[in-house]
Amino acid sequence: MADDAAKQCGTKQVDPKAKQPIQGIKNIVAVASGKGGVGKSTTAVNLAVALAQQGQQVGLLDADIYGPSIPNMMGLKGRKPEVDAASKILYPLENFGVKVMSIGFLVGDEQAMIWRGPMVAGALGQLLKDVAWGELDVLIIDMPPGTGDAQLTLSQTVPVTGAVVVTTPQDIALIDCKKGIQMFDKVHVPTLGIVENMSVFICPHCQGESHIFDQGGAETLSAQFNTDIIAKVPLNMEIRKNGDAGTPIVAADPDAEVAKIYRQMAQAVTDKIGVFNKRKITIPVMAG
Ligand SMILES: Nc1ncnc2c1ncn2[C@@H]1O[C@H](COP(=O)(O)OP(=O)(O)OP(=O)(O)O)[C@@H](O)[C@H]1O
Ligand SMILES: [Mg+2]
């Protein structure tokens, strides 16, 4: 099955030794999904801010070269990063305690839409390596939808600790989500866990629960891939409003129930990073 997914997105076996770590960055976590519009960017932003609130050094890289939404969601729209004239190194912008870099800071909204694969790969490579990230415990990467150039470039150029895979509960989103997991699997990026987004809608008037996007799908996926569900985030108007306003809900209203869910997600990601790094260290390296 993984081979089918690899054929579909043209992946090849990758030599893990070809990946170069970025100096100063301890862990790279991709927030991904095979499907568009499931809430990857919203998850990435709130996860990054929640990790920073827990005292970690956090970076957030917008890898959605065609449709960058991080400048807006992080309240940094219209800002330009400083560039070192001699070295051409970019300095990330910062908000809510998170260092942020996005192609959206550098080109107009329409400009990147016409880029082809190699240009996307080049731009992403630069955003990863030609940025003065400094010392980071974790760099969160907001991935574009699908299993295309950005996913391959990322997984082939830097060691990615793992992916947080976002899905909505219904079948169609899960099918795309499976493709995403299989693709990362093929390029040796483990799945840290599944986030079921828009899990349930709780009516603000009667407190009744509605499963607008169905229910139970993430459990099936989790069992199939032997991966934990690390959070179930409800469909919540405040998440959307604060996302649009550039004030992630974990920062805007830290006492909200949903903010607590994002903080638990951040803790789960930290725990998983620990488990996966330990696993890497304890796997014996075969000679030759
Ligand atoms: N849990 C949620 N409750 C309410 N609205 C949400 C939730 N998660 C995301 N949204 C909203 O859904 C829309 C899509 O979310 P987002 O941009 O994060 O998705 P995406 O997967 O990154 O999309 P794309 O594939 O286009 O990059 C946004 O308007 C966002 O505010
Ligand atoms: Mg997005």
Side-chain angles (χ1 to χ4, degrees):
M1 242 173 140
D3 283 343
D4 288 348
K7 265 184 223 151
Q8 230 164 6
C9 55
T11 53
K12 289 186 284 205
Q13 281 297 104
V14 178
D15 174 7
K17 283 180 281 215
K19 302 177 189 186
Q20 296 294 323
I22 306 174
Q23 210 188 349
I25 301 184
K26 291 193 187 121
N27 293 288
I28 296 178
V29 171
V31 177
S33 173
K35 189 170 159 60
V38 293
K40 294 176 292 299
S41 302
T42 306
T43 304
V45 159
N46 282 289
L47 173 61
V49 176
L51 287 165
Q53 286 173 340
Q54 291 173 353
Q56 303 204 47
Q57 300 291 328
V58 184
L60 175 60
L61 171 60
D62 188 351
D64 198 341
I65 305 289
Y66 292 115
S69 43
I70 295 300
N72 200 30
M73 286 187 177
M74 286 296 282
L76 293 166
K77 197 173 165 67
R79 298 269 308 275
K80 293 269 175 241
E82 283 182 23
V83 190
D84 182 87
S87 64
K88 301 280 181 271
I89 294 287
L90 291 161
Y91 289 90
L93 293 166
E94 194 163 340
N95 212 0
F96 308 109
V98 175
K99 289 180 181 169
V100 185
M101 185 48 69
S102 168
I103 196 81
F105 295 142
L106 308 171
V107 299
D109 281 353
E110 288 86 31
Q111 226 173 317
M113 297 301 287
I114 52 167
W115 287 6
R116 289 180 324 189
M119 290 171 80
V120 170
L124 183 54
Q126 268 187 304
L127 292 182
L128 280 163
K129 301 210 162 166
D130 296 345
V131 172
W133 289 110
E135 298 287 318
L136 294 182
D137 294 305
V138 56
L139 177 66
I140 300 288
I141 307 203
D142 177 33
M143 298 303 293
T147 49
D149 296 313
Q151 284 75 6
L152 286 180
T153 303
L154 177 71
S155 54
Q156 292 175 351
T157 47
V158 290
V160 181
T161 312
V164 169
V165 176
V166 183
T167 184
T168 53
Q170 86 272 41
D171 270 346
I172 185 71
L174 293 167
I175 291 164
D176 289 320
C177 184
K178 272 183 206 170
K179 283 189 210 155
I181 294 179
Q182 287 164 342
M183 194 219 96
F184 276 125
D185 196 36
K186 193 74 193 166
V187 291
H188 309 290
V189 174
T191 299
L192 294 183
I194 297 166
V195 168
E196 186 177 82
N197 194 34
M198 309 185 192
S199 187
V200 64
F201 175 72
I202 300 166
C203 172
H205 309 293
C206 71
Q207 309 305 315
E209 287 189 7
S210 309
H211 293 273
I212 293 174
F213 296 109
D214 208 351
Q215 58 183 322
E219 279 79 4
T220 313
L221 198 65
S222 141
Q224 189 177 346
F225 289 96
N226 198 19
T227 303
D228 291 340
I229 300 168
I230 52 170
K232 287 187 171 195
V233 182
L235 183 67
N236 176 284
M237 191 139 71
E238 296 307 311
I239 293 178
R240 202 273 306 149
K241 273 192 192 164
N242 281 290
D244 286 355
T247 53
I249 188 141
V250 281
D253 187 3
D255 295 329
E257 271 312 304
V258 285
K260 285 182 201 156
I261 294 173
Y262 281 120
R263 285 201 294 277
Q264 283 160 6
M265 182 196 297
Q267 189 54 53
V269 167
T270 303
D271 293 347
K272 289 282 176 194
I273 287 174
V275 170
F276 278 78
N277 281 339
K278 213 166 175 187
R279 236 182 249 175
K280 257 192 293 186
I281 292 161
T282 51
I283 292 171
V285 180
M286 307 296 282

